[in-house]
Amino acid sequence: MAVVSWKEVLLLSALVVGCYWNTLWCGFVFDDVSAILDNKDLRPATPLRNLFQNDFWGTPMAEERSHKSYRPLTVLTFRLNYLLSELSAPSYHLLNVVLHAVVCVLFLRVCRTFLDRTSSLVAALLFAVHPIHTEAVAGVVGRAELLSSIFLLAAFLAYTRSTGRDNSIVWTPIGVTVVLVSAATLCKEQGITVVGICCVHEVFVAQGFTLPMLGDTFLQVLRDKACFPYTVLQTLLKLMVLVISTLLLVIVRVQVIQSQLPVFTRFDNPAAVSPAPTKQLTFNYLLPVNAWLLLNPSELCCDWTMGTIPLVESFLDARNLATLAFYGLLGLLAYHSLRYSHSSAKTVIMALSLIVLPFVPASNLFFPVGFVVAERVLYVPSMGFCVLVAHGFRVVSRKGQLKKMSWMVIGVLLATHAVKTFNRNLDWESEYTLFTSALKVNKNNAKLWNNVGHALENQNNYERALRYFLQATRVQPDDIGAHMNVGRTYKNLNMSKEAEEAYMIAKSLMPQVIPGRKYATRVAPNHLNVYINLANLIRTNESRLEEADQLYRQAISMRPDFKQAYISRGELLLKMNKPSEARDAYLRALELDRTNPDLWYNLAIVNIEMKEPTEALKNFEHALELNPRHKLALFNSALLMQESGEPKLRPEANRRFLVYVEEEPEDANGYFNLGMLAMDASENAAAERWMRRAISLQTGFRSALFNLALLYSQSARELDALPVLDELLRYHPEHVKGLILKGDILMNHRKDTQGAKACFQRILAMDPGNVQGKHNLCVVYFEERDLPRAERCLEETLAMAPHEEYVRRHLSIVRGKMAAMSAAGQPLSAAEGAAAPFQEEKGEGRKGSKNARKSPAPRLKGVGQSEQRTEGKSAEEIKDIETKRAAALQRLEEIERILSGD
């Protein structure tokens, strides 16, 4: 068995890199979005065991909506990529290119078992550049094919070593083969077909049997059991081990999917739900379609579902001739290879086994699959095609007059295929380029129009997206998903009436409930989202909340395991002020999925609404156990700890806010709350730094500006507070507490009575009943020595707040002062330069500004929503305010004694 030289390895690797280096600039497209971007199994926080409990897309295998594609080893490589580079697409594409190069080298090694050195190299070179492979290499999810192929080829090579020099059985390679077959199957299901390839090799290549010889041997055994050849016994023993191992793998695989096939709709594979003979004629016609893609890969398309290939509905359809021609050619090759035992026959039988056996699971002939044609499933069958081409090249090149021409043809073929592959990779750069390229090949596939619309929608280009979605409804009028897309886009364009009409059309296309038949088996799970989308739309109207609730309940009645319906209904019930029922909805959803951190988070929000902070904190902890970097759980649990006023919880709250700002570095609310925690801990320098950061991120941040000014005021830096207050009042001129604080500082530290007066007068212009502003204006009049006006002002204030003792006391002070000045013959107003005995009182006697942090209620997590709670008042802060108030009253008493002695 000829080995592969390092020069050949370098040649193949260079060719692969030359064809596929431009895939490094491709992003995550098509199925990559679900398998990579939306798959939580890639995240380090997800337990590794989930990879062996969920399908390829991260959905639990037990759920009916699961695709049932069990490929944990492939997902493990995605997880390793994520560990190294998170969601950086180039690293994922680079690994795919490397794996394709490895497959090419292994394929060359396999070809050497039944082809000469030159022909096997030609086959490997053709395989390396064939354009049909762009989907498997340029698409990240194609890694399943790449990994499965590596283990498949390795298993075959291991099996070829299972026969000793004396024709004895060597069991170690057989054991290795079984392990590698298992690994191939755990990368992709078709990996198990290598067992059939090994059986074909054992019987027709290693043992050299032909069909006539097998018939003669069988008849001989029937006549005389004692004459059973020893070599046949050995062969049967090896094949039995392989077959039994395969059956065990199949049993395990069936157990994993819980004996359930995935649910596909007629849009995924129209022929699968068609009556006879349309179903059989169409499925058989798809075989020559796939063969043509291998022979002439000029028009490639990423999606062949829906109306791409019209159904073959009659025996008179001309396309049946292609089916007959395909079966005729296949039968001719099989007859040639099975009847004779020369090397050419052995090469052809191995080529046919590589073409036919790996394609059987995707052929639709034995069970329906979720697609019509998929280019990436031709990755392994193309190996057999390349072997046939290389074998034909060997046959032709042996004829002297055709040798040069055959080399020229192979050279042109390799060059054109390499160029086609390189250019085809550019289509996979983005979803927009991929799906627009597909529309050039086929305009009868509504899914392609939908996907271009999705790509434009992701760019917020809703007007253009709408045109594509509407075209999808024209191409396939009964496409529920297309009408849902139209509705969603109308909603994004704030055209609620049109959105509701589109959703109602989609709803009318849903299969009707049939008594005695399980509804879920006749509808795609994502189509039930029409009820969710319609309910989410109409619940924006407060008068239609009950109607929205009815839609959620209808979806739940159709699929009791419809988790999203419970989540959305919980949000609605909370909006309807039914927190107890909302809690029940979330608890039901948690019965279906206890590993969803968002559910625990939403339940915690319900606990907050029900005034159950302890339970809320517990449920926040559950969410963070499942996802330690769950941003909303981090933020709101930290805020809950902060608002509890417990000093022992302050460090943990601070840590969670720090993690939150790592996740959301542009969210000013995180820095603001870090600043409030620092203020609670009297860490003024840190508090100032965090507040400044929050203000830099959110211009005019009301609460951060006020609390920063208050921090300066409490730190004896009143003059530093003035520019902060000016900025606050520029963006929020109605901020009463800011005006009061500014007036205090102007009065006490700038001696600017006019500026202070303007602040308090602005308050009264906005709110004539504001006792605090009115009282402070009275103090300004007193400071200006206009005692009659101060008296009248305080009388008005007392009428507004007759129970405020400090106002009554101040009025008595002013009247006493007026009486003393009248007795002394002094004027009662405009006493310029006169001493101001009330001066000591003016700053402390007025009702001071309070640090009030307002907190909007937290909102539930849902589609298009974000939840933030920004501010709150700590218990320590309240205690500090009460202490200051007591000190102010004590000073009032001292001032009264001073005035009484005047």
Side-chain angles (χ1 to χ4, degrees), residues 204 332-341 345-346 348-349 352:
F204 297 103
L332 185 63
L333 290 173
Y335 175 81
H336 166 79
S337 59
L338 294 174
R339 185 170 181 80
Y340 303 103
S341 60
K346 292 179 179 180
V348 172
I349 193 62
L352 291 179

Side-chain angles (χ1 to χ4, degrees), residues 64 113 180 195 204 259 289 334 416 458 521 527 710 719 734 757 806 837 854:
E64 193 168 8
T113 63
L180 291 172
V195 173
F204 297 103
S259 304
V289 170
T416 54
N458 292 336
T521 61
H527 284 172
L710 191 63
L719 297 183
E734 79 292 347
K757 183 194 292 186
Y806 74 94
K854 299 180 180 178

Side-chain angles (χ1 to χ4, degrees), residues 64-75:
E64 193 168 8
R65 64 189 179 92
S66 168
H67 196 270
K68 309 301 181 185
S69 47
Y70 188 65
R71 304 163 190 174
L73 293 187
T74 303
V75 179

